[in-house]
Amino acid sequence: MDSIIRNLDLSAKGIWFPLSVGLLLLLFALFMPKRKINWLEFYLTFGVVGYVAWISDTVVGGMLNLVDLGDPKITGLGEFASYSFIPSSLSVIYLNYVKKLTNGSLFFFLPYYRL
């Protein structure tokens, strides 16, 4: 039991913030009225963005050793909430409330490629 609590890194300072933000965003994403997306798009977006967040955590946090929340040797509960629920929930909320751009203003941010 002691090893389970130690591996969750519950003694990290400020663990309440990523846990509470992750929980609030997850609950809001689950219970918000679905205007633009259906449940299939919800699950696909949540899964793909969660996967990309974990891959970026592996590269930035593991290989480059730039980010450590709590103990650098273990992945605690705060890191799990930060990389699993926060980016995925924000992406689902954004896709649900974004207005469709039809005037081409999105291409201002994309690099121009000539085929």
Side-chain angles (χ1 to χ4, degrees):
M1 185 70 169
D2 186 47
S3 67
I4 294 173
I5 293 174
R6 190 173 44 239
N7 285 336
L8 288 177
D9 200 21
L10 294 176
S11 63
K13 249 182 152 173
I15 195 173
W16 62 272
F17 186 71
L19 290 178
S20 59
V21 169
L23 182 67
L24 287 174
L25 285 174
L26 180 66
L27 289 176
F28 182 73
L30 283 174
F31 295 115
M32 71 179 170
K34 308 294 186 278
R35 296 179 185 169
K36 308 270 186 194
I37 61 174
N38 56 22
W39 282 105
L40 177 65
E41 295 168 341
F42 178 90
Y43 291 134
L44 285 175
T45 304
F46 205 87
V48 168
V49 172
Y51 174 73
V52 170
W54 273 103
I55 293 298
S56 64
D57 170 53
T58 302
V59 170
V60 173
M63 294 178 176
L64 301 177
N65 201 14
L66 294 176
V67 178
D68 287 322
L69 303 175
D71 189 7
K73 293 182 177 64
I74 59 173
T75 301
L77 198 57
E79 285 186 1
F80 180 75
S82 295
Y83 300 128
S84 296
F85 299 126
I86 295 174
S88 300
S89 298
L90 284 175
S91 66
V92 167
I93 292 168
Y94 174 76
L95 286 178
N96 192 34
Y97 288 110
V98 70
K99 292 191 176 18
K100 191 167 199 148
L101 298 173
T102 58
N103 60 359
S105 63
L106 179 64
F107 294 110
F108 176 72
F109 299 109
L110 298 175
Y112 180 71
Y113 293 106
R114 179 169 281 182
L115 297 175

